[in-house]
Amino acid sequence: MKNQTLTIYWAMLIALTLLSALFADSLEPNSWVTLIVCLTIMVKGQVIVDVFMGLKTAPNKIRYMMLAYFYVLPPMVAFTLIFPSTVEQITTL
Amino acid sequence: MPILNASLDTEFIPEGDPNPQQAVVLRKSDEPIPANMAVWILIGAELTEFALFFIIYLVVRSHNPEIFSQGPERLNLLAGTLNTLALITSSYFVARAISAIKMNKPKQTVKWLGASLLMGASYLGIKTWEYFWNAQAGLDSRTDLFYTLYYYLTFNHLLHVMMGMCTLAWVLVRAHYNAYSSTDYQGLESAACYWHMIDLAWIIIFPLLYVLR
């Protein structure tokens, strides 16, 4: 990975973090904010896995294991925040 | 040697090769695993542990929506944001260290690893300030369920950061004594992957605790 590419992706990660902080500070919580924040988690995760860890050219088993984390958890977070009563029902013994 | 097109899992033959039958054919599955398998098992175990606590957080949150919607409002968002910036920058510095050793520049590698450790130390400083700030605001692990999980997740992550810093310090010393080269840097890459894993966990912790209300 070229150093310039690493720097560009670092700047992108910084921008996404500041965007999330701005959302937290200025916007009232709603479903769209939740979805956008969860999307930023997925993008940030993919960038770190593929670019910083250099797994883009690694065998798929390792790469998919890492990416799965960011394809599964953020949607779970979004679902719980948008439909808390459904999750409450599912998890009530 | 042709560069493998990472988006494909099929064989790759370089364009314009005068003799395609003798062309080097690479498959993605032929690429070596970065670092070593033991580190990936460790990373898998660590991420599973964090995932379990994220799921617990989500379940508890769904049963206590009021407590968890008010919790983030009382946290120090500035500290959380600065910590995220410190960890992302630290990960970037580690990636530069790996890039430098691949170009056989051990002095550059030492420099980038030192910068990364400095960012890790900044994280520890900011986290300490945040915990004091919380204490002054009357917040502790027994305030309510949100703060119990907040302290568990962040302190657990803090311990991982400290462990990762020890690992980075060890590879920095080894790099200083030229233990790594462009053909032999597996130990350095293992430490780097572990450090990136710590960053990955924080990437979920930050929005979960500080941003999403």
Side-chain angles (χ1 to χ4, degrees):
Chain A
M1 188 66 67
K2 285 181 183 175
N3 290 336
Q4 194 183 3
T5 311
L6 288 173
T7 306
I8 290 168
Y9 277 111
W10 168 74
M12 192 183 101
L13 291 171
I14 295 292
L16 286 174
T17 301
L18 293 175
L19 185 75
S20 293
L22 189 71
F23 278 1
D25 202 34
S26 56
L27 294 179
E28 282 302 308
N30 64 52
S31 300
W32 284 109
V33 171
T34 302
L35 286 173
I36 291 170
V37 169
C38 287
L39 195 65
T40 65
I41 300 174
M42 292 169 84
V43 173
K44 285 163 87 174
Q46 175 127 21
V47 168
I48 289 180
V49 167
D50 276 345
V51 182
F52 285 4
M53 290 179 123
L55 294 187
K56 190 149 189 169
T57 54
N60 283 336
K61 276 181 194 169
I62 297 282
R63 182 168 179 253
Y64 288 162
M65 179 190 88
M66 297 301 292
L67 288 180
Y69 207 73
F70 288 91
Y71 291 158
V72 174
L73 280 173
M76 275 177 71
V77 172
F79 186 81
T80 305
L81 266 72
I82 295 170
F83 305 106
S85 53
T86 308
V87 177
E88 186 188 4
Q89 280 178 357
I90 294 168
T91 56
T92 300
L93 296 174
Chain B
M1 181 68 73
I3 299 169
L4 182 71
N5 184 345
S7 62
L8 299 173
D9 192 28
T10 54
E11 61 186 30
F12 172 80
I13 301 171
E15 282 180 27
D17 195 300
N19 187 354
Q21 286 183 330
Q22 291 181 354
V24 177
V25 177
L26 287 180
R27 288 174 196 278
K28 207 173 170 186
S29 54
D30 294 335
E31 287 283 305
I33 296 170
N36 60 60
M37 190 46 86
V39 165
W40 290 108
I41 291 169
L42 176 67
I43 287 173
E46 299 276 29
L47 286 178
T48 303
E49 182 205 354
F50 276 110
L52 285 172
F53 279 98
F54 294 148
I55 291 167
I56 289 169
Y57 177 92
L58 293 174
V59 171
V60 176
R61 182 185 174 118
S62 71
H63 287 260
N64 304 273
E66 290 225 345
I67 292 173
F68 280 72
S69 65
Q70 290 164 3
E73 288 176 8
R74 295 172 71 189
L75 285 181
N76 189 331
L77 178 63
L78 177 64
T81 307
L82 289 176
N83 268 337
T84 311
L85 299 181
L87 280 184
I88 285 173
T89 305
S90 178
S91 256
Y92 165 69
F93 288 161
V94 167
R96 290 296 300 263
I98 294 291
S99 177
I101 201 67
K102 283 179 178 173
M103 291 187 280
N104 221 3
K105 293 178 179 174
K107 282 188 181 174
Q108 291 280 313
T109 303
V110 170
K111 189 188 86 174
W112 287 113
L113 285 174
S116 184
L117 271 175
L118 204 63
M119 282 292 117
S122 305
Y123 173 93
L124 296 184
I126 295 163
K127 189 51 77 185
T128 307
W129 165 59
E130 185 184 349
Y131 282 165
F132 275 112
W133 189 88
N134 285 348
Q136 283 184 335
L139 304 171
D140 60 43
S141 61
R142 283 168 290 185
T143 301
D144 60 33
L145 273 172
F146 173 81
Y147 288 98
T148 304
L149 285 170
Y150 157 83
Y151 273 102
Y152 185 84
L153 272 171
T154 55
F155 191 72
N156 189 17
H157 186 266
L158 180 71
L159 294 177
H160 283 80
V161 170
M162 290 163 80
M163 203 156 62
M165 285 179 70
C166 291
T167 315
L168 282 185
W170 171 248
V171 293
L172 186 148
V173 171
R174 281 180 52 80
H176 178 72
Y177 289 106
N178 293 318
Y180 304 115
S181 68
S182 59
T183 53
D184 177 18
Y185 55 92
Q186 198 186 58
L188 177 60
E189 203 170 33
S190 300
C193 285
Y194 186 79
W195 188 254
H196 291 311
M197 180 278 293
I198 293 166
D199 192 18
L200 287 175
W202 184 260
I203 275 178
I204 298 182
I205 292 173
F206 171 63
L208 204 59
L209 295 178
Y210 296 84
V211 176
L212 295 167
R213 283 179 275 157

